[in-house]
Amino acid sequence: MADAFSAGEVAQKKADGVADAINRMLQNLVIKCAKEEGIRDYFEVGVIGYGAQVGPAFSGTLAGRPMVKISEVGNSPARVEQRSKKVPDGAGGLAEQSIRFPIWFEPVANGGTPMCQALTQAKGIVEGWVGQHPNCFPPIVIHITDGESTDGDPTSLADQIRKVKSSDGEALLFNVHCSSQKAQPVVFPNTEAGLPDQYAQQLFRMSSNLPPQMANLAKGEGLNVTEGARGFVFNAGMVEVIKALDIGTRPSALR
Amino acid sequence: MDAYLKAFWLPKEGCTEEEYEDAFFPRNVSSLTGERLRFAVADGATEASFSKLWARLLVRAFVRRSLTLPFTLDELKPLQEQWAEAVHGKELAWYAEVKVASGAFSSLLGLELTENSATDATERQWRAVACGDSCLVQISADQILRSFPLSESAAFTSRPNLLSSLAGAEVDETGLVAECTGTWTADDQFFLMTDALACWFLKQSEFGKKPWSLLKEVETGGQTSFGDFVAELRTNGELKNDDVTLMKIELLPSTPGWD
């Protein structure tokens, strides 16, 4: 037997991938709102982690905060890593460039998937936010999971989140399913037929319809999005997940 | 010739004066005399960072004749260096660094007026260059004589080509910078405008109205009256909520015209 990775290593790699995706998403949000004088507060962002514990998951000085203004997020990463990136060298080749990579969220791979607890907490935050900002663009909840809830059926909680309303519309719930099954990636499907297991199908049913504006953005990114597409992504490569997250969070005020 | 100059500007509704990213030059001047005079307006792109600085560098360089007419992109190099020096001299946060790496963008509209009395008949000409959708309109005998580079309001819908603060960022130089020439006579007026106001101006004239007459009433009240006027157009949905710049030039020949 020569398994390349143990089950623990697989879990760690998946956790690393999810953490990277969330950190990149936060980076993209900050950059969209950044101007030379600083960061304009187009958003507030919260990250809830769930596993052994359920709660706010920012690290560093933002630890414990359920919702944080995007300017504060940008100015308070837990740490900044140096990473290298390939860029065109102007002569047809590629050159390595060192870039700063801010980290807010550290990978965590430990037991349990208390999805109901996590969604209950998300619902509380979304309700509170809409209560304070009744005319806001509806909050967007992006739920990233490996699939099977270990504390009950989350369906009705998902329904309740999608029914929270501002004057501008209903809250959006997107699900990103990172399964260990070797199945074809699926991005924004319009039917649960063909999804590989009951957990994927359940998460599909829990997902909001993709609003027309986001569907158009997704098409613009080259994704095949048809009528009735839902905000659900299954086992997509990290690049597709980031695209999905980006699309889900692009403010209409920014081009 | 004597040129009489009035300039008005406003940031987007809901933004501070600091956030105004258009530029125009000369500033704080109400009249100029000479045989060759230059004027410019520019519109720094909102999505990028340090566009205001880039727009300012462009208008000054054009008016101070550091750019030829028409100019090539190679001539922008010293300006691109100045921009990079100013930007990289600062201690930047990680997100600002990412923005700087993609450069700043701006439109540029430059106008040169000449009066040559060396020959028997005095020649009064103008030449203009444009990249992007900032426009000039020449009013002669109470009519629009020329509009450049765009001549109808519908043309403002597309995303304009802009000048980049990074050398080599433009993939195709062909057609990036447009050029136009014409002649002028005594009492002509030139309106130099960034896109939001230029679009409104052309739309008004498409409806058979005379926006230059409307603006004349507004300008007697100065910047405050201009501010009220723009606010009303924005509220009525007639003007896109964007930075607004208007530079109006009225001309008086130095010798009585034969033309």
Side-chain angles (χ1 to χ4, degrees), chain A residues 45-70:
Chain A
V45 187
V47 183
I48 300 169
Y50 70 102
Q53 290 168 339
V54 181
F58 281 119
S59 309
T61 54
L62 303 177
R65 304 260 304 269
M67 290 298 278
V68 181
K69 283 187 174 164
I70 195 72

mmCIF file of all heavy atoms in Angstrom, chain A residues 45-70:
data_model
loop_
_atom_site.group_PDB
_atom_site.id
_atom_site.type_symbol
_atom_site.label_atom_id
_atom_site.label_comp_id
_atom_site.label_asym_id
_atom_site.label_seq_id
_atom_site.Cartn_x
_atom_site.Cartn_y
_atom_site.Cartn_z
ATOM 1 N N VAL A 45 -18.314 42.423 6.558
ATOM 2 C CA VAL A 45 -18.097 40.996 6.329
ATOM 3 C C VAL A 45 -17.986 40.258 7.650
ATOM 4 O O VAL A 45 -17.372 40.757 8.601
ATOM 5 C CB VAL A 45 -16.764 40.765 5.566
ATOM 6 C CG1 VAL A 45 -16.634 39.304 5.169
ATOM 7 C CG2 VAL A 45 -16.667 41.639 4.341
ATOM 8 N N GLY A 46 -18.565 39.062 7.705
ATOM 9 C CA GLY A 46 -18.378 38.181 8.859
ATOM 10 C C GLY A 46 -17.943 36.812 8.369
ATOM 11 O O GLY A 46 -18.306 36.407 7.273
ATOM 12 N N VAL A 47 -17.135 36.109 9.142
ATOM 13 C CA VAL A 47 -16.754 34.736 8.801
ATOM 14 C C VAL A 47 -17.062 33.862 10.016
ATOM 15 O O VAL A 47 -16.570 34.132 11.116
ATOM 16 C CB VAL A 47 -15.245 34.621 8.451
ATOM 17 C CG1 VAL A 47 -14.905 33.193 8.043
ATOM 18 C CG2 VAL A 47 -14.856 35.581 7.334
ATOM 19 N N ILE A 48 -17.902 32.855 9.817
ATOM 20 C CA ILE A 48 -18.210 31.914 10.904
ATOM 21 C C ILE A 48 -17.520 30.598 10.579
ATOM 22 O O ILE A 48 -17.673 30.074 9.473
ATOM 23 C CB ILE A 48 -19.735 31.652 11.003
ATOM 24 C CG1 ILE A 48 -20.490 32.951 11.275
ATOM 25 C CG2 ILE A 48 -20.044 30.616 12.079
ATOM 26 C CD1 ILE A 48 -21.999 32.809 11.113
ATOM 27 N N GLY A 49 -16.758 30.078 11.513
ATOM 28 C CA GLY A 49 -16.127 28.778 11.305
ATOM 29 C C GLY A 49 -16.920 27.734 12.069
ATOM 30 O O GLY A 49 -17.463 28.023 13.133
ATOM 31 N N TYR A 50 -17.010 26.517 11.531
ATOM 32 C CA TYR A 50 -17.645 25.479 12.327
ATOM 33 C C TYR A 50 -16.952 24.142 12.172
ATOM 34 O O TYR A 50 -16.495 23.780 11.102
ATOM 35 C CB TYR A 50 -19.147 25.416 12.099
ATOM 36 C CG TYR A 50 -19.668 24.914 10.764
ATOM 37 C CD1 TYR A 50 -20.153 23.613 10.657
ATOM 38 C CD2 TYR A 50 -19.751 25.745 9.667
ATOM 39 C CE1 TYR A 50 -20.705 23.162 9.465
ATOM 40 C CE2 TYR A 50 -20.298 25.301 8.478
ATOM 41 C CZ TYR A 50 -20.764 24.000 8.370
ATOM 42 O OH TYR A 50 -21.315 23.562 7.200
ATOM 43 N N GLY A 51 -16.847 23.446 13.287
ATOM 44 C CA GLY A 51 -16.142 22.174 13.400
ATOM 45 C C GLY A 51 -16.287 21.795 14.858
ATOM 46 O O GLY A 51 -17.399 21.675 15.367
ATOM 47 N N ALA A 52 -15.171 21.690 15.530
ATOM 48 C CA ALA A 52 -15.237 21.414 16.962
ATOM 49 C C ALA A 52 -15.980 22.549 17.676
ATOM 50 O O ALA A 52 -16.683 22.336 18.661
ATOM 51 C CB ALA A 52 -13.841 21.262 17.526
ATOM 52 N N GLN A 53 -15.832 23.773 17.145
ATOM 53 C CA GLN A 53 -16.549 24.920 17.712
ATOM 54 C C GLN A 53 -17.258 25.676 16.597
ATOM 55 O O GLN A 53 -16.880 25.564 15.436
ATOM 56 C CB GLN A 53 -15.554 25.868 18.383
ATOM 57 C CG GLN A 53 -14.966 25.283 19.642
ATOM 58 C CD GLN A 53 -13.777 26.077 20.140
ATOM 59 O OE1 GLN A 53 -13.135 26.829 19.405
ATOM 60 N NE2 GLN A 53 -13.480 25.894 21.413
ATOM 61 N N VAL A 54 -18.260 26.457 16.978
ATOM 62 C CA VAL A 54 -18.955 27.286 15.998
ATOM 63 C C VAL A 54 -18.849 28.731 16.456
ATOM 64 O O VAL A 54 -19.223 29.045 17.588
ATOM 65 C CB VAL A 54 -20.451 26.907 15.893
ATOM 66 C CG1 VAL A 54 -21.162 27.767 14.852
ATOM 67 C CG2 VAL A 54 -20.605 25.434 15.547
ATOM 68 N N GLY A 55 -18.320 29.607 15.602
ATOM 69 C CA GLY A 55 -18.223 31.004 16.027
ATOM 70 C C GLY A 55 -17.437 31.841 15.051
ATOM 71 O O GLY A 55 -16.933 31.327 14.037
ATOM 72 N N PRO A 56 -17.317 33.146 15.335
ATOM 73 C CA PRO A 56 -16.562 34.045 14.461
ATOM 74 C C PRO A 56 -15.149 33.500 14.249
ATOM 75 O O PRO A 56 -14.530 33.029 15.195
ATOM 76 C CB PRO A 56 -16.533 35.358 15.237
ATOM 77 C CG PRO A 56 -17.717 35.287 16.148
ATOM 78 C CD PRO A 56 -17.871 33.841 16.502
ATOM 79 N N ALA A 57 -14.678 33.564 13.003
ATOM 80 C CA ALA A 57 -13.441 32.852 12.680
ATOM 81 C C ALA A 57 -12.283 33.737 12.224
ATOM 82 O O ALA A 57 -11.262 33.240 11.783
ATOM 83 C CB ALA A 57 -13.730 31.810 11.607
ATOM 84 N N PHE A 58 -12.434 35.060 12.317
ATOM 85 C CA PHE A 58 -11.278 35.907 12.015
ATOM 86 C C PHE A 58 -10.171 35.609 13.024
ATOM 87 O O PHE A 58 -10.460 35.368 14.200
ATOM 88 C CB PHE A 58 -11.642 37.389 12.153
ATOM 89 C CG PHE A 58 -12.392 37.955 10.967
ATOM 90 C CD1 PHE A 58 -13.671 38.470 11.125
ATOM 91 C CD2 PHE A 58 -11.807 37.990 9.718
ATOM 92 C CE1 PHE A 58 -14.362 39.015 10.048
ATOM 93 C CE2 PHE A 58 -12.491 38.530 8.622
ATOM 94 C CZ PHE A 58 -13.764 39.040 8.796
ATOM 95 N N SER A 59 -8.914 35.639 12.558
ATOM 96 C CA SER A 59 -7.791 35.513 13.486
ATOM 97 C C SER A 59 -7.237 36.905 13.772
ATOM 98 O O SER A 59 -7.659 37.882 13.159
ATOM 99 C CB SER A 59 -6.671 34.679 12.868
ATOM 100 O OG SER A 59 -7.166 33.477 12.379
ATOM 101 N N GLY A 60 -6.262 36.964 14.654
ATOM 102 C CA GLY A 60 -5.576 38.231 14.945
ATOM 103 C C GLY A 60 -6.459 39.203 15.696
ATOM 104 O O GLY A 60 -7.307 38.803 16.494
ATOM 105 N N THR A 61 -6.270 40.494 15.398
ATOM 106 C CA THR A 61 -6.962 41.521 16.189
ATOM 107 C C THR A 61 -8.476 41.521 15.960
ATOM 108 O O THR A 61 -9.216 42.095 16.753
ATOM 109 C CB THR A 61 -6.436 42.932 15.857
ATOM 110 O OG1 THR A 61 -6.547 43.121 14.435
ATOM 111 C CG2 THR A 61 -4.994 43.112 16.258
ATOM 112 N N LEU A 62 -8.938 40.894 14.874
ATOM 113 C CA LEU A 62 -10.385 40.866 14.612
ATOM 114 C C LEU A 62 -11.063 39.654 15.260
ATOM 115 O O LEU A 62 -12.280 39.488 15.146
ATOM 116 C CB LEU A 62 -10.655 40.842 13.099
ATOM 117 C CG LEU A 62 -10.073 41.991 12.273
ATOM 118 C CD1 LEU A 62 -10.367 41.789 10.796
ATOM 119 C CD2 LEU A 62 -10.644 43.334 12.741
ATOM 120 N N ALA A 63 -10.282 38.812 15.940
ATOM 121 C CA ALA A 63 -10.815 37.572 16.520
ATOM 122 C C ALA A 63 -12.043 37.859 17.382
ATOM 123 O O ALA A 63 -12.066 38.820 18.155
ATOM 124 C CB ALA A 63 -9.742 36.883 17.344
ATOM 125 N N GLY A 64 -13.063 37.039 17.215
ATOM 126 C CA GLY A 64 -14.266 37.156 18.041
ATOM 127 C C GLY A 64 -15.310 38.106 17.485
ATOM 128 O O GLY A 64 -16.429 38.138 17.975
ATOM 129 N N ARG A 65 -14.952 38.902 16.459
ATOM 130 C CA ARG A 65 -15.907 39.887 15.923
ATOM 131 C C ARG A 65 -16.805 39.216 14.884
ATOM 132 O O ARG A 65 -16.318 38.679 13.893
ATOM 133 C CB ARG A 65 -15.142 41.043 15.261
ATOM 134 C CG ARG A 65 -14.146 41.751 16.157
ATOM 135 C CD ARG A 65 -14.708 43.039 16.713
ATOM 136 N NE ARG A 65 -15.172 43.946 15.688
ATOM 137 C CZ ARG A 65 -14.418 44.899 15.115
ATOM 138 N NH1 ARG A 65 -13.151 45.045 15.457
ATOM 139 N NH2 ARG A 65 -14.945 45.709 14.222
ATOM 140 N N PRO A 66 -18.133 39.275 15.060
ATOM 141 C CA PRO A 66 -19.014 38.639 14.084
ATOM 142 C C PRO A 66 -19.089 39.398 12.754
ATOM 143 O O PRO A 66 -19.171 38.798 11.692
ATOM 144 C CB PRO A 66 -20.373 38.606 14.777
ATOM 145 C CG PRO A 66 -20.303 39.605 15.874
ATOM 146 C CD PRO A 66 -18.862 39.805 16.221
ATOM 147 N N MET A 67 -19.091 40.731 12.785
ATOM 148 C CA MET A 67 -19.174 41.529 11.555
ATOM 149 C C MET A 67 -18.165 42.658 11.621
ATOM 150 O O MET A 67 -18.047 43.337 12.647
ATOM 151 C CB MET A 67 -20.572 42.144 11.402
ATOM 152 C CG MET A 67 -21.665 41.139 11.079
ATOM 153 S SD MET A 67 -21.411 40.302 9.503
ATOM 154 C CE MET A 67 -22.065 41.502 8.376
ATOM 155 N N VAL A 68 -17.447 42.869 10.524
ATOM 156 C CA VAL A 68 -16.383 43.871 10.512
ATOM 157 C C VAL A 68 -16.486 44.674 9.214
ATOM 158 O O VAL A 68 -16.724 44.117 8.140
ATOM 159 C CB VAL A 68 -14.994 43.182 10.578
ATOM 160 C CG1 VAL A 68 -13.872 44.209 10.593
ATOM 161 C CG2 VAL A 68 -14.891 42.281 11.801
ATOM 162 N N LYS A 69 -16.322 46.008 9.298
ATOM 163 C CA LYS A 69 -16.334 46.842 8.092
ATOM 164 C C LYS A 69 -15.152 46.459 7.208
ATOM 165 O O LYS A 69 -14.066 46.166 7.713
ATOM 166 C CB LYS A 69 -16.199 48.320 8.485
ATOM 167 C CG LYS A 69 -17.486 48.876 9.020
ATOM 168 C CD LYS A 69 -17.393 50.364 9.245
ATOM 169 C CE LYS A 69 -18.760 50.870 9.647
ATOM 170 N NZ LYS A 69 -18.734 52.176 10.239
ATOM 171 N N ILE A 70 -15.378 46.540 5.899
ATOM 172 C CA ILE A 70 -14.353 46.074 4.954
ATOM 173 C C ILE A 70 -13.041 46.881 5.097
ATOM 174 O O ILE A 70 -11.954 46.340 4.904
ATOM 175 C CB ILE A 70 -14.884 46.078 3.499
ATOM 176 C CG1 ILE A 70 -13.986 45.277 2.557
ATOM 177 C CG2 ILE A 70 -15.116 47.474 2.974
ATOM 178 C CD1 ILE A 70 -14.029 43.804 2.731
#
